[in-house]
Amino acid sequence: MLENNKMLVAARTGSEPSLVSIILMPFVFTLLLSVGIGIASAVGIGLFGTTETAISMIYLQYMQYAISFAVAGGSILLYVALVEKRRVETVGFFKQGCVGSYLKGMAIAILGLVAIVSILQFQGEITLIASIPQLGKEGLIVGVLILTAWIIQGAAEEVLVRGYMLQSIATKYGLYKGIIFSSIVFALLHLGNSGVTAISLINILLCGLMLALLVLKEENLWAACGFHTAWNLFQGNVFGISVSGNVLDVSLFKTEMSIPTLWNGGAFGIEGSLLTTFFMLIVTGGLIWRLSKQVI
């Protein structure tokens, strides 16, 4: 039964989350992102000075991702440990099966993206052009920084939404409300992104639902973290597609589109594509079917 799900049982350890903390946590998370960006900018000035070069801008972009999300996500973990008096692993970072779940989440994201990009390429909606960056001896360092940034970013958002929000709302008000409201929060976090459309918000909401179900299916947060990291990494740094409206400078390919359509997602990227809608619905349906067999 889902009531005995490891994620939900873990949420009931320690003190009960307050309604105030549930409401304020997304706002605090967003504020701390700004603090982290300020810290990253100060570090960047210390390392590169005030002169902007192509390579320093690349470093700064991914340092901002890494530091800002580390500050925001780490603060939630501190709150869980110090205020709610429960172990950090109870947000879903259990050791058992962590590698397998993480790789499973990555595989779902990569297979989905490859399928979507392949169909769009076949339809003539997009054109992929090889664009291997010429970074010289710093290429390896940049690659490690990019991967680290996406690992931290994906984990931090999952700690907030599928870790803290889903668990807290499910504990106080019921599982289905936890799934729905945490997914709405996930969509609202992207509301101010460049190029956002109604379809992109629907897709992000569906992604939130899908990841909530994946967390419950795997009984940990690792699979959702793996999906999140691979989805952003392959969109932005492999295929050269805007990540939730954010354009990145370093990628193995550049994706060009003749005109924005409902299929290619326009400026927001393929997260605004109807193909992504179908992908999220298919995966969500599969997870509902798998979870329904656990409930019976």
Side-chain angles (χ1 to χ4, degrees):
M1 299 295 289
L2 287 180
E3 289 77 8
N4 297 321
N5 188 282
K6 194 172 182 179
M7 284 288 293
L8 303 180
V9 171
R12 294 193 285 269
T13 62
S15 59
E16 185 179 275
S18 67
L19 178 59
V20 173
S21 68
I22 293 172
I23 293 173
L24 291 182
M25 196 62 76
F27 297 99
V28 173
F29 184 89
T30 304
L31 176 62
L32 289 172
L33 286 179
S34 299
V35 173
I37 289 173
I39 295 172
S41 298
V43 172
I45 292 173
L47 291 174
F48 308 111
T50 56
T51 303
E52 294 183 356
T53 64
I55 191 67
S56 69
M57 293 304 292
I58 291 171
Y59 277 117
L60 182 59
Q61 181 178 39
Y62 292 98
M63 284 170 54
Q64 286 179 341
Y65 280 133
I67 294 175
S68 62
F69 281 96
V71 169
S75 297
I76 295 176
L77 296 179
L78 281 175
Y79 179 85
V80 167
L82 300 179
V83 178
E84 295 192 356
K85 307 297 183 184
R86 55 188 176 109
R87 300 191 311 277
V88 167
E89 71 168 16
T90 61
V91 299
F93 290 132
F94 309 111
K95 294 180 181 178
Q96 184 177 1
C98 60
V99 175
S101 289
Y102 199 91
L103 293 177
K104 186 181 296 184
M106 292 188 75
I108 295 171
I110 294 169
L111 290 173
L113 280 172
V114 169
I116 293 169
V117 169
S118 298
I119 293 171
L120 290 174
Q121 174 92 342
F122 180 77
Q123 288 180 323
E125 290 282 340
I126 62 172
T127 302
L128 284 179
I129 301 172
S131 177
I132 299 176
Q134 303 299 314
L135 298 173
K137 61 182 180 180
E138 296 189 78
L140 179 60
I141 299 173
V142 171
V144 171
L145 175 60
I146 289 172
L147 179 59
T148 302
W150 288 130
I151 289 173
I152 293 173
Q153 185 270 343
E157 284 197 15
E158 292 308 319
V159 165
L160 169 67
V161 182
R162 257 68 63 177
Y164 190 79
M165 299 297 294
L166 172 59
Q167 285 186 327
S168 298
I169 297 171
T171 298
K172 287 184 73 71
Y173 305 107
L175 176 58
Y176 296 113
K177 290 179 182 177
I179 293 173
I180 292 170
F181 283 103
S182 64
S183 301
I184 292 173
V185 168
F186 186 54
L188 292 178
L189 287 173
H190 298 79
L191 189 60
N193 288 31
S194 176
V196 67
T197 63
I199 292 178
S200 61
L201 285 177
I202 291 171
N203 285 345
I204 295 171
L205 178 64
L206 287 173
C207 183
L209 291 170
M210 183 268 289
L211 290 176
L213 295 173
L214 184 61
V215 162
L216 294 171
K217 166 64 178 57
E218 292 296 306
E219 299 193 60
N220 61 51
L221 208 59
W222 294 110
C225 292
F227 180 97
H228 211 137
T229 293
W231 184 265
N232 289 341
L233 176 67
F234 272 72
Q235 270 193 111
N237 302 113
V238 175
F239 295 122
I241 298 170
S242 297
V243 180
S244 301
N246 298 309
V247 179
L248 305 178
D249 293 330
V250 182
S251 61
L252 298 181
F253 295 91
K254 293 296 181 184
T255 299
E256 295 183 352
M257 61 183 70
S258 55
I259 56 172
T261 69
L262 293 177
W263 293 108
N264 59 40
F268 198 78
I270 59 174
E271 288 177 9
S273 166
L274 285 176
L275 283 178
T276 301
T277 308
F278 298 144
F279 167 67
M280 295 297 175
L281 288 172
I282 290 169
V283 178
T284 299
L287 288 168
I288 290 173
W289 177 73
R290 292 294 299 274
L291 284 167
S292 68
K293 295 177 72 69
Q294 294 182 14
V295 173
I296 296 174

